[in-house]
Amino acid sequence: SKKPVRVAVTGAAGQIGYALLFRIASGEMLGKDQPVILQLLEIPAEKAQNALKGVIMELEDCAFPLLAGIEAHSDPMQAFKDTDYALLVGARPRGPGMERADLLAANAQIFTAQGKALNAVASRNVKVLVVGNPANTNAYIAMKSAPDLPRENFTAMLRLDHNRAASQIAHKLGVPVGDIEKLAVWGNHSPTMYADYRFAQVNGKPVKDAINDQDWNANVFLPTVGKRGAAIIEARGLSSAASAANAAIDHMHDWALGTNGKWVTMGIPSNGDYGIPKDVMFGFPVTTEGGKYSVVQGLEIDAFSQGRIDKTLAELQGEADAVKHLL
Ligand code: NDP
């Protein structure tokens, strides 16, 4: 049988953590033949550490055959030791009266420390996924704080936007979501993200021809996908957690195990593709193979799409500027 791999998860006692850990431990992320050791990080506060103990008791009580070990930590230098995968879920939520700049600064502190810890103690091949918001900028900060690790090992979660977009399109066309392929989501995990179905196919035929309604695209589809998180808070009284955890599983699963040519969206440090400046942590359509992702090349960007891409890029550059002095 395979040697266990180490999976670190931060914010492990939070909502998303609760929807995530059991699926990692059951093999849904890395395969039903891959044992895992969970290295869980929570803030030192007694309440969080106690909640983490409770989650660990439940993990034990599942008796998952693939769960080869569980550790609880309050120090990233221990939680990230030799880790092969790191899911950075914990982040500072916006408190009452907190300005956007305060939020960025509070998170910059967390993700600088975590980037440094990964740099010092993680596996040199660690695959890092940032879920905690602002996810792209937090991932950028962690990457910049880990100069000894390959920059391409740092990614941000755009997969929830991708899955939301696929589901809206399937709904509009009255087909199962699995029939939708070649979707792209560009940019920031925020309402400015640009979900782009110009290349998408439904059972091998262009989605664009099947929908053929630019008004629906601009005024229904994009706002629905962009504001989906807020709609779920409104309906549920709590933020989306299971769907966010599911997207994290999808992202890591596909990165580790390959997409067989299928397009998925990942937030990755730009290599300059599509005019996005190097290192900007940007959502791109990618395919993956052998643990590596490659950006889908050669897509034509029309004027409407360029406008949307410019807007989400400007937002990301604004976030990066706001934390520049902290790096
Ligand atoms: P959640 O588990 O609901 O959310 C965690 C993070 O994921 C938030 O930043 C949240 O952003 C983000 N997120 C990304 N996508 C989504 C989405 N689609 N829907 C909802 N959230 C999304 O938060 P909890 O407060 O329940 O738990 C967070 C835990 O993290 C706490 O237990 C806290 O103690 C811990 N924490 C740990 C840290 C550490 O390990 N060093 C540092 C800071 C916190 P948004 O805020 O925009 O909803």
Side-chain angles (χ1 to χ4, degrees):
S1 66
K2 286 188 176 176
K3 187 170 164 269
V5 294
R6 297 179 174 274
V7 180
V9 179
T10 76
Q15 271 213 95
I16 295 176
Y18 196 71
L20 178 65
L21 296 173
F22 299 86
R23 296 186 60 192
I24 298 174
S26 73
E28 286 179 66
M29 187 168 89
L30 297 172
K32 296 284 184 187
D33 59 346
Q34 178 58 65
V36 296
I37 297 169
L38 289 174
Q39 305 188 160
L40 307 178
L41 180 69
E42 258 299 344
I43 53 174
E46 194 182 338
K47 195 161 171 250
Q49 288 295 322
N50 275 336
L52 183 56
K53 283 194 192 110
V55 174
I56 290 175
M57 287 188 248
E58 285 203 76
L59 281 164
E60 290 169 350
D61 293 351
C62 292
F64 290 119
L66 290 171
L67 187 53
I70 317 177
E71 303 169 7
H73 296 289
S74 58
D75 176 356
M77 289 290 279
Q78 288 167 4
F80 296 157
K81 182 101 182 70
D82 297 327
T83 195
D84 302 292
Y85 299 87
L87 292 90
L88 309 187
V89 177
R92 179 73 186 271
R94 191 190 292 257
M98 207 172 172
E99 296 295 327
R100 198 166 144 276
D102 302 331
L103 184 74
L104 281 163
N107 279 301
Q109 214 174 8
I110 294 170
F111 286 86
T112 314
Q114 295 192 354
K116 286 181 179 160
L118 287 163
N119 194 57
V121 300
S123 158
R124 299 300 86 182
N125 298 317
V126 64
K127 287 179 162 59
V128 182
L129 167 63
V130 177
V131 174
N133 280 315
N136 296 55
T137 294
N138 291 340
Y140 173 79
I141 292 167
M143 174 184 79
K144 286 292 176 191
S145 306
D148 303 326
L149 292 171
R151 53 194 271 289
E152 64 268 20
N153 296 18
F154 288 82
T155 66
M157 192 166 90
L158 269 291
R159 185 61 176 265
L160 183 55
D161 307 281
H162 181 107
N163 290 348
R164 285 169 171 167
S167 166
Q168 290 301 318
I169 291 166
H171 198 247
K172 169 87 172 164
L173 296 176
V175 300
V177 69
D179 290 356
I180 308 294
E181 283 187 90
K182 299 201 169 173
L183 194 61
V185 182
W186 307 91
N188 197 6
H189 170 64
S190 90
T192 68
M193 59 86 229
Y194 173 43
D196 180 1
Y197 60 76
R198 293 174 306 132
F199 314 102
Q201 297 191 333
V202 50
N203 296 315
K205 297 202 195 74
V207 163
K208 213 172 58 168
D209 295 353
I211 294 180
N212 195 16
D213 185 348
Q214 178 57 15
D215 184 61
W216 181 79
N217 182 28
N219 300 319
V220 180
F221 172 68
L222 288 170
T224 301
V225 177
K227 295 179 195 152
R228 188 68 163 181
I232 288 167
I233 293 176
E234 175 75 27
R236 212 169 83 91
L238 288 168
S239 60
S240 43
S243 53
N246 179 69
I249 297 271
D250 284 351
H251 177 117
M252 282 304 208
H253 173 273
D254 288 351
W255 189 4
L257 302 177
T259 63
N260 286 316
K262 203 181 79 169
W263 297 15
V264 294
T265 300
M266 291 173 70
I268 59 170
S270 176
N271 292 313
D273 296 310
Y274 298 101
I276 306 306
K278 188 158 184 278
D279 284 356
V280 174
M281 196 62 67
F282 203 82
F284 286 100
V286 302
T287 57
T288 70
E289 199 184 346
K292 304 245 177 257
Y293 53 79
S294 332
V295 173
V296 176
Q297 297 292 333
L299 301 175
E300 192 215 320
I301 306 298
D302 62 15
F304 175 81
S305 303
Q306 192 63 57
R308 298 290 307 219
I309 288 173
D310 290 348
K311 187 168 162 224
T312 194
L313 173 62
E315 183 182 58
L316 274 172
Q317 290 180 314
E319 290 180 16
D321 275 349
V323 298
K324 207 160 63 192
H325 63 290
L326 300 167
L327 296 184

